[in-house]
Every structure is written in structure tokens, then in C-alpha cells.
Amino acid sequence: MANYDFQVLVLGSGPGGYVAALRAAELGMKTACVEKMETLGGTCLNVGCIPSKALLQSSESYEFIVERAGEQGIAVKGATFDLDAMMKRKATIVKGLVDGIAMLFKGKKIERLQGTAKFIDPHTVDINGKKVTAENIIIATGSESISLPFLPFDEKRVVSSTGALSLKTVPKKLLVIGAGAIGVELASVYRRLGSKVSIIEMLDTITPAMDAAICKQLQTLLKKQGIEFYLGAKVKSGIINDASVTLSVEYENKPMTMEGDVVLVAVGRRPYTKALDLDKAGMTLSPKGFVPVDANFRTTQPHIYAIGDVIEGPMLAHKASSEGIAAVELIAGHETHLNYMAIPNVIYTHPEVAAVGLTEAEARAAGLDIIIGTSFFRGNGRARCSGETDGFVKVIGEKKSNRLIGMHMIGAHASEMIAEGMLAMDKKATIADIAYACHAHPSLSETIMEAAQAAKGS
Ligand code: FAD
């Protein structure tokens, strides 16, 4: 480490960066983390996973009381909600978590540097005029929302997910462009609170990363809840009026106009490398704007690593954190383990969607001989007791080895249940391992076992 200020300097404090910094400090390395925002935690804690889940929970609790509590013999008359109070609760949750990271940094003696980092040379970074040198640097600067060229964000009428997480009033009519995870989650929040919601999607499916059978079921259920879908539709232009936005859309080969008081543009996110001056560190971006890395997260400069949304791969918080730990352990000379096939992907709609491994289409495209088993929650005792009978679990195995290669589910608490699939994938379990494992009764997880039993018999 000789003449450097730090052994590890992490650029960005999202779930990639702060987890990397914590692990580096735990391994005894002199560590600093640079963050341009006032709070730590990145997109995930400040304007992503956490605030969206807080609002999803509040709106879901409200809808349960109004729409479904009656099924269980509970009569609640005149239930109302207070958007401002929901937003304050969200802010309190975020504050608690970001303050928690600051405390952890203090406790582990990680130096917190506030400002925007830009490279001066491969070992030196400028942070708002202050030069800092480091033996190893980890780029964890995350991603940003993509806007449409003809519809820039004003975060009032045309909002990114960030604006949608802080609306002051519930829109009467919300237009959502993009039916990915962020689009359908935020559409759900405002639909539950009374917005009329239309989702416009260029592809002919919603949530395209998921297994086709799950996408179909999710769309059916969201439609039943009142969300309108325009699939295969292209937004051509938009006009921002005083109190609304008008979109020109091509749908089923015909032009049409759609009007909403708020438009959420959720067409994806792109890696964020603005201001980093990567060329000063002798680095160039991939054609899609990602920081290119090898299997050990090393960039073309062997002492500069990159992790999280800024590198290729699914843009997920837990993927960023796992990469952060792996990169730091490699820097420390340890062996590490990260199995990309075992990274779960969750959508927090009601019901939730969760998946790990290959979809059926991916497995078939890879030429694999597969076995499939499906089991429905409507046959599950616990699901019936909870009044949560929508959805199913689908497991996919490779026929010859009997190994699990994909698990997909739509149903209550899928975000928690997918942990079984994640561990099974990571530990290379077989379909029989899952089918014969004695699952608690009554529990939703029995549906996983029964799907595996169905696959075994198929
Ligand atoms: P980020 O969290 O984006 O953090 C990067 C940090 O770097 C930021 O704080 C930024 O300010 C800072 N930075 C950037 N450039 C510089 C610079 N030059 N100098 C100093 N600091 C800099 N993922 C899930 O897994 N589950 C979910 O449920 C989920 N929900 C989401 C909901 C929404 C609405 C959004 C927008 C995202 C969601 N995500 C979810 C995605 C998740 O937030 C990201 O995958 C994750 O935050 C990526 O972590 P990261 O550390 O790579 O980057």
C-alpha cells in the first residue's frame, strides 16, 4: 500500500459500493467510500428498492382492508388513506436504513468522502477538488433512468421512478410507459390508491425477463385488478400541457392519443459513468455504456474493479452486493464464489413474482432436454387460509442429470419462497432433492415440493 492514501477506494455507496466497503474494512484494509449524494445507500435505499417497497406495502395494506378483509369476516367501514403519511413513513424507513450505513461506516472506520469522484490518473481520484490516491479502486457508480428524447423528465407530469416515488397527489389517470418490474410495481401502487392506470409497452409481453407462463398470468391478474395494457404499442411523441400530458401512440398499426395527468417513463436504466473521466484512468466503455470487466470484476486496469449496475448483467441490488463482496475478497487474495445462475429476480406486485435460473424458453433455446412440473396455490391449504390462492410454481429440471435449472413462481410471498430455489440452484440440487425434502405443513412452500414432484413424475 506504500504511498497510497487508501488500500481500497470505493466510488459510489449503493448496495454494491457500501457492501464492498464494509467487507474491505472487515478484511482489515484501509478503506474509503465516495458518494456524491448527501446520504449513503445509492439508488436502492434512497430512490429504488426500499422506498418502492414501502409504498407497495402501504398501498397493499389499504387495498386489503378495503377489498379483501371482508372475506375474513372483518368489516372496516370508511377506511381512508393519507398519501402524505405514507410518504412520511417511506422517508422514515429510508432514513433509518441510510443512517444505519453511516453508523456501520463509522464503526468500521471507513472514511466517508462526500463529493463527485473523477479520475485524474489510474491511481488518483479528484473529489470536489481534493486528490485521493488508492492502491485499488472499485467503481460502483450504478445506473440512471433512461428518458425518452421527446419527453424529458420534469418529475411533475413526466416522472422517472424517482418522481413517481414522491408524488404529492394520486394521479387521476396515470400512463406508464414500460411494463418492466419498475413499471408494474409503481402502476400497482397508484392503481391501489385510486388512479386509473394504463401501461404502454413496446414488446408483446410484460416483464419480459420472466418465464412466459408467469408473464401471462401476471398480466391476467393485473388486468383483473384494473390495470389496462397496450402491448406492442409505440409512444411516438408527447405534449406536456398545463394539467396533463398527451401521448401519440401507435397501437395495432393505428395512431391513437392517450392523455394522463402524470406519465411515468419506466423504459429501463443505463449505467451511470458521467463525470468519472474514465479515459484519464486509461479505460473505455463498452458500446452499451457499461464498464467492461473480466470474470474477476477487473477492468482493463488490473487494480480498478467495477461492480453492480455499472457492469453488464441484471440490474439488481443483491447482485451488486454479491459482486462487491467478491471483488473485495479477490483484492484480499481470498477465494470467492458467485453463481450467476443462482441470482433471484423478484417483482413485488400482488401477487409477487419470483424466479431463479433459466426460463423454459431459455432452456429450450439452449437445446436442453427438460422436465417441467407445475403446482397451483389454489390446492394449497395455507394459501386457502390466507385467501391467497392465485398463482403457481413451475420448476424446470434437466432431464438427464435431474438437476434443477429454473424455478418460477407467481403467488403470495414469492419473494421469500424463492430462497429455496436460489439455494437449490446454488448447491446444484436435483428435482428429487426438492421433491423428497420434507416441507412444513401447512405452508406455501409445499407448492414448490409439489411442483418438483410433478416434474419428477413427468
Ligand atoms: P446504485 O445503487 O445506483 O449506487 C450508485 C451510487 O454511486 C449512487 O449513490 C450515486 O450517487 C453514486 N455515484 C455515481 N457516480 C458517482 C461519482 N462520480 N462520485 C461519487 N458518487 C457517485 N433491485 C432489486 O434487487 N430489488 C428491487 O426490488 C429493486 N427495486 C427497484 C426499484 C426502483 C424504483 C429502482 C429505480 C431500482 C430498483 N432496483 C431493485 C435496482 C437497484 O436499485 C439497483 O440494482 C442497485 O441500486 C444497484 O446498486 P449499485 O451499487 O450498482 O448502484
Side-chain angles (χ1 to χ4, degrees), residues 132-220:
V132 174
T133 61
E135 186 178 359
N136 300 286
I137 297 174
I138 300 177
I139 301 171
T141 50
S143 60
E144 63 177 346
S145 302
I146 298 173
S147 63
L148 294 171
F150 49 83
L151 209 58
F153 298 128
D154 62 12
E155 300 299 6
K156 287 193 182 88
R157 301 232 162 268
V158 180
V159 296
S160 67
S161 55
T162 301
L165 289 167
S166 292
L167 292 182
K168 300 266 183 291
T169 53
V170 174
K172 282 193 184 65
K173 171 84 201 190
L174 174 67
L175 302 177
V176 179
I177 308 176
I182 294 175
V184 295
E185 286 183 7
L186 292 170
S188 295
V189 167
Y190 288 103
R191 199 275 309 149
R192 291 168 192 164
L193 299 180
S195 295
K196 187 162 174 21
V197 181
S198 301
I199 300 185
I200 307 151
E201 166 60 55
M202 209 159 72
L203 301 176
D204 58 7
T205 176
I206 68 167
T207 59
M210 293 294 176
D211 188 90
I214 302 272
C215 300
K216 221 170 138 201
Q217 176 75 357
L218 178 64
Q219 191 189 340
T220 303

Coordinates of all heavy atoms in Angstrom, one line a residue, residues 132-220:
V132 N -7.3 12.1 -4.0 CA -7.2 11.0 -3.1 C -6.5 9.8 -3.9 O -6.9 9.6 -5.1 CB -8.6 10.5 -2.6 CG1 -8.5 9.2 -1.9 CG2 -9.2 11.6 -1.7
T133 N -5.5 9.2 -3.3 CA -4.9 8.1 -4.1 C -5.3 6.7 -3.4 O -5.6 6.7 -2.2 CB -3.4 8.2 -4.1 OG1 -2.9 8.2 -2.7 CG2 -2.9 9.5 -4.8
A134 N -5.3 5.7 -4.3 CA -5.7 4.4 -3.7 C -4.9 3.3 -4.5 O -4.7 3.4 -5.7 CB -7.2 4.2 -3.8
E135 N -4.6 2.2 -3.7 CA -3.9 1.1 -4.4 C -4.9 0.3 -5.3 O -4.6 -0.1 -6.4 CB -3.5 0.1 -3.2 CG -2.6 -1.0 -3.7 CD -2.1 -1.9 -2.6 OE1 -2.4 -1.6 -1.4 OE2 -1.5 -2.9 -2.9
N136 N -6.2 0.1 -4.8 CA -7.2 -0.5 -5.5 C -8.5 0.4 -5.5 O -8.8 1.0 -4.5 CB -7.6 -1.8 -4.9 CG -6.5 -2.8 -4.8 OD1 -6.1 -3.4 -5.8 ND2 -5.9 -2.9 -3.6
I137 N -9.1 0.4 -6.7 CA -10.3 1.3 -6.8 C -11.5 0.4 -7.3 O -11.3 -0.4 -8.2 CB -10.1 2.5 -7.7 CG1 -9.0 3.4 -7.2 CG2 -11.4 3.3 -8.0 CD1 -8.5 4.5 -8.1
I138 N -12.6 0.6 -6.7 CA -13.8 -0.2 -7.1 C -14.9 0.8 -7.6 O -15.3 1.7 -6.9 CB -14.4 -1.0 -6.0 CG1 -13.4 -2.0 -5.5 CG2 -15.7 -1.7 -6.5 CD1 -13.9 -2.9 -4.3
I139 N -15.2 0.7 -8.9 CA -16.2 1.6 -9.5 C -17.6 1.0 -9.2 O -17.9 -0.1 -9.7 CB -16.0 1.8 -11.0 CG1 -14.6 2.4 -11.3 CG2 -17.1 2.7 -11.6 CD1 -14.2 2.4 -12.7
A140 N -18.4 1.7 -8.5 CA -19.8 1.2 -8.2 C -20.8 2.3 -8.3 O -21.5 2.6 -7.4 CB -19.8 0.6 -6.7
T141 N -20.7 3.0 -9.4 CA -21.5 4.2 -9.6 C -22.9 4.0 -10.2 O -23.6 5.0 -10.4 CB -20.7 5.2 -10.5 OG1 -20.3 4.5 -11.7 CG2 -19.5 5.8 -9.8
G142 N -23.3 2.8 -10.3 CA -24.7 2.4 -10.5 C -25.3 2.8 -11.9 O -24.6 2.7 -12.9
S143 N -26.5 3.2 -11.8 CA -27.3 3.4 -13.1 C -28.3 4.6 -12.9 O -28.5 5.1 -11.8 CB -28.1 2.2 -13.5 OG -29.0 1.9 -12.4
E144 N -28.8 5.0 -14.0 CA -29.8 6.1 -14.0 C -31.0 5.7 -14.9 O -30.8 4.9 -15.9 CB -29.2 7.4 -14.4 CG -28.7 7.4 -15.9 CD -28.1 8.7 -16.3 OE1 -28.4 9.8 -15.7 OE2 -27.5 8.7 -17.4
S145 N -32.1 6.4 -14.7 CA -33.3 6.1 -15.5 C -33.1 6.6 -17.0 O -32.5 7.7 -17.1 CB -34.5 6.8 -15.0 OG -34.8 6.5 -13.7
I146 N -33.6 5.9 -17.9 CA -33.5 6.4 -19.3 C -34.7 7.2 -19.6 O -35.9 6.8 -19.3 CB -33.4 5.2 -20.3 CG1 -32.2 4.3 -20.0 CG2 -33.5 5.6 -21.8 CD1 -32.1 3.0 -20.8
S147 N -34.5 8.4 -20.2 CA -35.7 9.2 -20.6 C -36.0 9.0 -22.1 O -35.1 8.5 -22.8 CB -35.5 10.6 -20.3 OG -34.4 11.1 -21.0
L148 N -37.2 9.4 -22.5 CA -37.5 9.4 -24.0 C -37.1 10.8 -24.5 O -37.3 11.8 -23.9 CB -39.0 9.2 -24.2 CG -39.5 7.8 -23.8 CD1 -41.0 7.7 -23.8 CD2 -38.8 6.7 -24.6
P149 N -36.4 10.8 -25.7 CA -35.9 12.1 -26.2 C -37.0 13.2 -26.3 O -36.7 14.4 -26.1 CB -35.3 11.7 -27.6 CG -35.7 10.3 -27.8 CD -36.1 9.7 -26.6
F150 N -38.2 12.8 -26.6 CA -39.2 13.8 -26.9 C -40.0 14.1 -25.6 O -41.0 14.8 -25.6 CB -40.2 13.3 -28.0 CG -40.7 11.9 -27.8 CD1 -41.7 11.7 -27.0 CD2 -40.0 10.9 -28.4 CE1 -42.2 10.4 -26.8 CE2 -40.5 9.5 -28.3 CZ -41.5 9.3 -27.4
L151 N -39.6 13.4 -24.5 CA -40.4 13.6 -23.3 C -39.5 13.6 -22.0 O -39.5 12.7 -21.2 CB -41.4 12.4 -23.2 CG -42.7 12.5 -22.5 CD1 -43.6 13.6 -23.1 CD2 -43.5 11.2 -22.5
P152 N -38.7 14.7 -21.9 CA -37.8 14.8 -20.8 C -38.5 14.8 -19.5 O -39.6 15.3 -19.4 CB -37.0 16.1 -21.1 CG -37.9 16.9 -22.0 CD -38.7 15.9 -22.8
F153 N -37.8 14.2 -18.5 CA -38.4 14.2 -17.1 C -38.5 15.7 -16.6 O -37.5 16.4 -16.6 CB -37.5 13.5 -16.1 CG -37.3 12.0 -16.5 CD1 -36.0 11.5 -16.6 CD2 -38.4 11.2 -16.7 CE1 -35.9 10.1 -16.9 CE2 -38.3 9.8 -17.0 CZ -37.0 9.3 -17.1
D154 N -39.7 16.0 -16.1 CA -39.7 17.3 -15.3 C -40.0 16.9 -13.8 O -40.1 17.7 -12.9 CB -40.8 18.3 -15.8 CG -42.2 17.7 -15.8 OD1 -42.4 16.7 -15.2 OD2 -43.1 18.3 -16.4
E155 N -40.2 15.6 -13.6 CA -40.5 15.0 -12.3 C -41.8 15.5 -11.7 O -42.0 15.4 -10.5 CB -39.3 15.1 -11.3 CG -38.1 14.4 -11.8 CD -38.1 12.9 -12.0 OE1 -39.2 12.3 -11.9 OE2 -37.1 12.3 -12.3
K156 N -42.7 16.1 -12.5 CA -44.0 16.5 -12.0 C -45.1 15.8 -12.9 O -45.8 15.1 -12.4 CB -44.2 18.1 -12.2 CG -43.3 18.8 -11.1 CD -43.8 20.3 -11.1 CE -42.9 21.0 -10.0 NZ -41.7 21.5 -10.6
R157 N -45.1 16.2 -14.2 CA -46.0 15.5 -15.1 C -45.4 14.3 -15.8 O -46.0 13.3 -16.0 CB -46.5 16.5 -16.1 CG -47.2 17.7 -15.6 CD -48.6 17.9 -16.2 NE -49.3 18.8 -15.3 CZ -50.1 18.4 -14.3 NH1 -50.3 17.1 -14.1 NH2 -50.7 19.2 -13.6
V158 N -44.1 14.5 -16.1 CA -43.3 13.4 -16.8 C -42.3 12.9 -15.7 O -41.3 13.6 -15.5 CB -42.7 13.8 -18.1 CG1 -41.9 12.6 -18.7 CG2 -43.7 14.3 -19.1
V159 N -42.6 11.8 -15.1 CA -41.7 11.4 -14.0 C -40.9 10.1 -14.3 O -41.4 9.3 -15.0 CB -42.6 11.2 -12.7 CG1 -43.2 12.5 -12.3 CG2 -43.6 10.1 -12.8
S160 N -39.7 10.1 -13.7 CA -39.0 8.8 -13.6 C -39.5 8.1 -12.4 O -40.4 8.6 -11.7 CB -37.5 9.1 -13.5 OG -37.2 9.7 -12.2
S161 N -38.9 6.9 -12.1 CA -39.3 6.2 -10.9 C -39.1 7.1 -9.7 O -39.9 7.1 -8.7 CB -38.6 4.9 -10.8 OG -37.2 5.1 -10.8
T162 N -38.0 7.9 -9.7 CA -37.7 8.8 -8.6 C -38.9 9.8 -8.3 O -39.3 9.9 -7.2 CB -36.4 9.6 -8.8 OG1 -35.4 8.6 -9.0 CG2 -36.0 10.5 -7.6
G163 N -39.4 10.4 -9.3 CA -40.5 11.3 -9.2 C -41.8 10.6 -8.8 O -42.5 11.0 -7.9
A164 N -41.9 9.4 -9.3 CA -43.2 8.6 -9.0 C -43.2 8.2 -7.5 O -44.3 7.9 -7.0 CB -43.2 7.4 -9.9
L165 N -42.0 8.1 -6.9 CA -42.0 7.7 -5.5 C -42.2 8.9 -4.6 O -42.2 8.7 -3.4 CB -40.6 7.1 -5.2 CG -40.3 5.7 -5.8 CD1 -38.8 5.4 -5.7 CD2 -41.2 4.7 -5.2
S166 N -42.4 10.1 -5.1 CA -42.7 11.2 -4.3 C -43.8 12.1 -4.8 O -43.8 13.3 -4.5 CB -41.4 12.1 -4.2 OG -40.4 11.4 -3.6
L167 N -44.8 11.5 -5.5 CA -45.9 12.4 -5.9 C -46.7 13.0 -4.8 O -46.8 12.3 -3.7 CB -46.8 11.5 -6.8 CG -46.3 11.0 -8.2 CD1 -47.4 10.2 -8.9 CD2 -45.8 12.2 -9.0
K168 N -47.1 14.2 -5.0 CA -47.8 14.8 -3.9 C -49.3 14.4 -3.8 O -49.9 14.5 -2.8 CB -47.8 16.4 -4.1 CG -46.3 16.9 -4.1 CD -45.9 17.4 -2.7 CE -44.6 18.0 -2.6 NZ -43.5 17.0 -2.9
T169 N -49.8 14.1 -5.0 CA -51.2 13.6 -5.0 C -51.3 12.4 -5.9 O -50.4 12.2 -6.7 CB -52.2 14.7 -5.7 OG1 -51.6 15.1 -6.9 CG2 -52.3 16.0 -4.8
V170 N -52.4 11.6 -5.7 CA -52.6 10.4 -6.5 C -53.1 10.9 -7.9 O -54.1 11.6 -8.0 CB -53.6 9.5 -5.9 CG1 -53.9 8.3 -6.8 CG2 -53.0 9.0 -4.5
P171 N -52.4 10.5 -9.0 CA -52.9 11.0 -10.3 C -54.3 10.4 -10.6 O -54.6 9.2 -10.2 CB -51.9 10.4 -11.3 CG -50.7 9.9 -10.5 CD -51.2 9.7 -9.1
K172 N -55.1 11.1 -11.3 CA -56.4 10.6 -11.7 C -56.2 9.5 -12.7 O -56.7 8.4 -12.7 CB -57.3 11.7 -12.2 CG -58.0 12.5 -11.1 CD -59.1 13.4 -11.8 CE -59.6 14.3 -10.7 NZ -58.7 15.4 -10.3
K173 N -55.3 9.9 -13.7 CA -55.0 9.0 -14.8 C -53.5 8.9 -14.9 O -52.8 10.0 -15.2 CB -55.7 9.5 -16.1 CG -55.3 8.8 -17.3 CD -56.1 7.6 -17.6 CE -55.3 6.6 -18.5 NZ -56.1 5.5 -19.0
L174 N -53.0 7.8 -14.7 CA -51.5 7.6 -14.8 C -51.2 6.7 -16.0 O -51.7 5.6 -16.1 CB -51.0 6.9 -13.5 CG -49.5 6.4 -13.5 CD1 -48.6 7.7 -13.5 CD2 -49.2 5.6 -12.3
L175 N -50.3 7.3 -16.9 CA -49.9 6.5 -18.0 C -48.5 6.0 -17.7 O -47.6 6.8 -17.2 CB -49.8 7.3 -19.3 CG -51.1 8.0 -19.7 CD1 -50.9 8.9 -20.9 CD2 -52.2 6.9 -20.0
V176 N -48.2 4.7 -17.8 CA -46.9 4.2 -17.5 C -46.3 3.6 -18.8 O -46.9 2.8 -19.5 CB -47.0 3.0 -16.5 CG1 -45.6 2.4 -16.2 CG2 -47.7 3.5 -15.2
I177 N -45.2 4.2 -19.2 CA -44.5 3.7 -20.4 C -43.5 2.7 -20.0 O -42.5 3.0 -19.3 CB -43.9 4.8 -21.2 CG1 -44.9 5.9 -21.5 CG2 -43.3 4.3 -22.5 CD1 -44.4 7.2 -22.2
G178 N -43.7 1.4 -20.3 CA -42.7 0.4 -20.0 C -43.3 -0.6 -18.9 O -43.8 -0.1 -17.9
A179 N -43.4 -1.9 -19.3 CA -44.0 -2.9 -18.4 C -43.0 -3.8 -17.8 O -43.2 -5.0 -17.6 CB -45.0 -3.7 -19.2
G180 N -41.8 -3.2 -17.4 CA -40.8 -4.0 -16.7 C -41.2 -4.0 -15.2 O -42.3 -3.5 -14.8
A181 N -40.3 -4.5 -14.3 CA -40.6 -4.6 -12.9 C -41.0 -3.2 -12.3 O -42.0 -3.1 -11.6 CB -39.4 -5.2 -12.2
I182 N -40.2 -2.2 -12.6 CA -40.5 -0.9 -12.0 C -41.8 -0.4 -12.5 O -42.6 0.2 -11.7 CB -39.3 0.1 -12.3 CG1 -38.0 -0.4 -11.6 CG2 -39.7 1.5 -11.9 CD1 -36.8 0.4 -12.0
G183 N -42.1 -0.5 -13.8 CA -43.4 -0.1 -14.3 C -44.6 -0.7 -13.6 O -45.5 0.0 -13.2
V184 N -44.5 -2.1 -13.5 CA -45.7 -2.7 -13.0 C -45.8 -2.5 -11.5 O -46.9 -2.5 -10.9 CB -45.8 -4.2 -13.3 CG1 -46.0 -4.4 -14.8 CG2 -44.6 -5.0 -12.9
E185 N -44.7 -2.4 -10.8 CA -44.8 -2.1 -9.3 C -45.4 -0.8 -9.0 O -46.3 -0.6 -8.2 CB -43.4 -2.2 -8.7 CG -42.8 -3.6 -8.6 CD -41.5 -3.7 -7.9 OE1 -41.0 -2.7 -7.3 OE2 -40.9 -4.8 -7.9
L186 N -44.9 0.3 -9.7 CA -45.4 1.6 -9.4 C -46.8 1.8 -9.9 O -47.6 2.5 -9.3 CB -44.4 2.7 -9.9 CG -43.1 2.7 -9.2 CD1 -42.1 3.6 -9.9 CD2 -43.3 3.2 -7.7
A187 N -47.1 1.1 -11.1 CA -48.5 1.1 -11.6 C -49.4 0.5 -10.5 O -50.5 1.0 -10.2 CB -48.6 0.3 -12.8
S188 N -49.0 -0.5 -9.8 CA -49.8 -1.2 -8.8 C -50.0 -0.2 -7.6 O -51.1 -0.2 -7.1 CB -49.1 -2.4 -8.3 OG -49.0 -3.4 -9.3
V189 N -49.0 0.5 -7.2 CA -49.1 1.4 -6.1 C -50.2 2.4 -6.3 O -51.2 2.5 -5.5 CB -47.8 2.2 -5.8 CG1 -48.0 3.4 -4.9 CG2 -46.7 1.3 -5.3
Y190 N -50.2 3.1 -7.5 CA -51.2 4.1 -7.7 C -52.5 3.6 -8.1 O -53.6 4.2 -7.8 CB -50.6 5.2 -8.7 CG -49.5 6.0 -8.0 CD1 -48.2 5.7 -8.2 CD2 -49.9 6.9 -7.0 CE1 -47.2 6.4 -7.5 CE2 -48.9 7.6 -6.3 CZ -47.6 7.4 -6.6 OH -46.6 8.0 -5.9
R191 N -52.6 2.4 -8.7 CA -53.9 1.8 -9.0 C -54.6 1.5 -7.7 O -55.8 1.8 -7.6 CB -53.6 0.5 -9.9 CG -54.8 0.0 -10.6 CD -55.7 -0.9 -9.8 NE -55.0 -2.0 -9.1 CZ -55.4 -2.5 -8.0 NH1 -56.5 -2.1 -7.4 NH2 -54.7 -3.4 -7.4
R192 N -53.8 1.0 -6.7 CA -54.5 0.6 -5.5 C -55.0 1.9 -4.7 O -55.9 1.8 -4.0 CB -53.5 0.0 -4.5 CG -53.0 -1.4 -5.0 CD -51.8 -1.9 -4.2 NE -51.2 -3.1 -4.8 CZ -50.0 -3.5 -4.5 NH1 -49.3 -2.8 -3.6 NH2 -49.6 -4.6 -5.0
L193 N -54.3 3.0 -5.0 CA -54.7 4.3 -4.3 C -55.8 5.0 -5.1 O -56.1 6.1 -4.8 CB -53.5 5.1 -4.1 CG -52.4 4.5 -3.2 CD1 -51.3 5.4 -2.9 CD2 -53.0 4.1 -1.8
G194 N -56.2 4.5 -6.3 CA -57.3 5.1 -7.0 C -57.0 5.6 -8.4 O -58.0 6.1 -9.0
S195 N -55.8 5.6 -8.8 CA -55.5 6.1 -10.2 C -56.1 5.1 -11.2 O -56.1 3.9 -11.0 CB -54.0 6.1 -10.5 OG -53.4 7.0 -9.7
K196 N -56.5 5.6 -12.3 CA -56.8 4.8 -13.5 C -55.5 4.6 -14.2 O -54.8 5.6 -14.6 CB -57.9 5.5 -14.4 CG -58.3 4.6 -15.5 CD -59.7 5.1 -16.0 CE -60.1 4.3 -17.3 NZ -59.6 3.0 -17.5
V197 N -55.0 3.4 -14.3 CA -53.6 3.2 -14.9 C -53.6 2.5 -16.2 O -54.3 1.4 -16.3 CB -52.8 2.4 -13.8 CG1 -51.3 2.2 -14.4 CG2 -52.7 3.1 -12.5
S198 N -52.9 3.0 -17.2 CA -52.7 2.3 -18.4 C -51.2 2.1 -18.6 O -50.4 3.0 -18.4 CB -53.2 3.1 -19.6 OG -54.6 3.4 -19.5
I199 N -50.8 0.9 -19.0 CA -49.4 0.6 -19.2 C -49.2 0.4 -20.7 O -49.9 -0.4 -21.4 CB -48.9 -0.6 -18.5 CG1 -49.1 -0.4 -17.0 CG2 -47.5 -1.0 -18.8 CD1 -48.5 -1.6 -16.1
I200 N -48.2 1.2 -21.3 CA -48.0 1.1 -22.7 C -46.6 0.4 -22.9 O -45.6 0.9 -22.3 CB -47.9 2.5 -23.3 CG1 -49.2 3.3 -22.9 CG2 -47.7 2.5 -24.8 CD1 -49.0 4.7 -22.8
E201 N -46.6 -0.7 -23.6 CA -45.3 -1.4 -23.7 C -45.1 -1.8 -25.2 O -46.0 -2.2 -25.9 CB -45.4 -2.7 -22.9 CG -44.4 -3.8 -23.1 CD -43.0 -3.3 -22.8 OE1 -42.7 -2.8 -21.7 OE2 -42.1 -3.5 -23.8
M202 N -43.8 -1.6 -25.6 CA -43.4 -1.8 -27.0 C -43.5 -3.3 -27.3 O -43.8 -3.7 -28.4 CB -42.0 -1.2 -27.2 CG -41.8 -0.8 -28.6 SD -40.4 0.4 -28.7 CE -39.1 -0.7 -28.4
L203 N -43.0 -4.1 -26.4 CA -43.0 -5.6 -26.6 C -44.4 -6.2 -26.6 O -45.3 -5.5 -26.1 CB -42.1 -6.3 -25.6 CG -40.6 -5.8 -25.6 CD1 -39.9 -6.5 -24.5 CD2 -40.0 -6.0 -26.9
D204 N -44.5 -7.4 -26.9 CA -45.9 -8.0 -26.8 C -46.1 -8.8 -25.6 O -47.0 -9.6 -25.4 CB -46.2 -8.9 -28.1 CG -45.1 -10.0 -28.2 OD1 -44.3 -10.1 -27.3 OD2 -45.2 -10.7 -29.3
T205 N -45.2 -8.6 -24.6 CA -45.3 -9.2 -23.3 C -45.0 -8.2 -22.2 O -44.2 -7.3 -22.5 CB -44.5 -10.4 -23.1 OG1 -44.6 -10.9 -21.8 CG2 -43.0 -10.2 -23.4
I206 N -45.5 -8.4 -21.0 CA -45.0 -7.6 -19.9 C -43.8 -8.3 -19.2 O -43.6 -9.5 -19.5 CB -46.1 -7.3 -18.8 CG1 -46.6 -8.6 -18.1 CG2 -47.3 -6.7 -19.5 CD1 -47.4 -8.3 -16.9
T207 N -43.1 -7.7 -18.4 CA -41.9 -8.3 -17.6 C -41.2 -9.4 -18.4 O -41.2 -10.5 -18.0 CB -42.5 -8.8 -16.3 OG1 -43.5 -9.9 -16.5 CG2 -43.1 -7.8 -15.4
P208 N -40.6 -9.0 -19.5 CA -40.0 -10.0 -20.5 C -38.9 -10.8 -19.9 O -38.6 -11.9 -20.5 CB -39.5 -9.1 -21.6 CG -39.3 -7.7 -21.1 CD -40.3 -7.6 -20.0
A209 N -38.3 -10.4 -18.8 CA -37.2 -11.3 -18.2 C -37.8 -12.6 -17.6 O -37.0 -13.5 -17.3 CB -36.4 -10.5 -17.2
M210 N -39.1 -12.6 -17.3 CA -39.7 -13.7 -16.6 C -40.1 -14.8 -17.6 O -40.3 -14.6 -18.8 CB -40.8 -13.2 -15.8 CG -40.4 -12.3 -14.6 SD -39.4 -13.2 -13.4 CE -39.0 -11.8 -12.3
D211 N -40.4 -16.0 -17.0 CA -40.9 -17.1 -17.8 C -42.3 -16.7 -18.4 O -43.1 -16.1 -17.8 CB -41.1 -18.3 -16.9 CG -41.5 -19.6 -17.7 OD1 -40.5 -20.3 -18.1 OD2 -42.7 -19.8 -17.9
A212 N -42.5 -17.1 -19.7 CA -43.7 -16.6 -20.4 C -45.0 -17.0 -19.7 O -45.9 -16.2 -19.7 CB -43.7 -17.2 -21.8
A213 N -45.0 -18.2 -19.1 CA -46.3 -18.6 -18.4 C -46.6 -17.7 -17.2 O -47.7 -17.3 -17.0 CB -46.2 -20.0 -17.9
I214 N -45.5 -17.2 -16.6 CA -45.7 -16.3 -15.4 C -46.1 -14.9 -15.9 O -47.0 -14.3 -15.3 CB -44.3 -16.2 -14.6 CG1 -43.8 -17.6 -14.2 CG2 -44.4 -15.2 -13.5 CD1 -44.3 -18.0 -12.9
C215 N -45.5 -14.5 -17.0 CA -45.9 -13.1 -17.5 C -47.4 -13.1 -17.9 O -48.0 -12.1 -17.6 CB -45.1 -12.8 -18.8 SG -43.3 -12.8 -18.6
K216 N -47.8 -14.2 -18.5 CA -49.2 -14.2 -18.9 C -50.1 -14.2 -17.7 O -51.1 -13.4 -17.7 CB -49.4 -15.6 -19.7 CG -50.3 -15.4 -20.9 CD -50.3 -16.7 -21.7 CE -51.7 -16.9 -22.2 NZ -52.0 -18.3 -22.6
Q217 N -49.8 -15.0 -16.7 CA -50.6 -15.0 -15.5 C -50.6 -13.6 -14.8 O -51.6 -13.1 -14.3 CB -50.1 -16.1 -14.6 CG -50.8 -16.2 -13.2 CD -52.2 -16.8 -13.4 OE1 -52.7 -17.1 -14.5 NE2 -52.9 -17.0 -12.3
L218 N -49.4 -13.0 -14.7 CA -49.3 -11.7 -14.0 C -50.2 -10.7 -14.8 O -50.9 -9.9 -14.1 CB -47.8 -11.3 -14.0 CG -47.6 -9.9 -13.3 CD1 -48.0 -9.9 -11.9 CD2 -46.2 -9.4 -13.5
Q219 N -50.1 -10.7 -16.1 CA -50.9 -9.7 -16.9 C -52.4 -9.9 -16.6 O -53.1 -9.0 -16.4 CB -50.5 -9.8 -18.4 CG -51.1 -8.6 -19.1 CD -51.0 -8.8 -20.6 OE1 -50.2 -9.6 -21.1 NE2 -51.8 -8.0 -21.3
T220 N -52.8 -11.2 -16.6 CA -54.2 -11.5 -16.4 C -54.6 -11.0 -15.0 O -55.7 -10.3 -14.9 CB -54.4 -13.0 -16.4 OG1 -54.0 -13.5 -17.7 CG2 -55.9 -13.4 -16.2

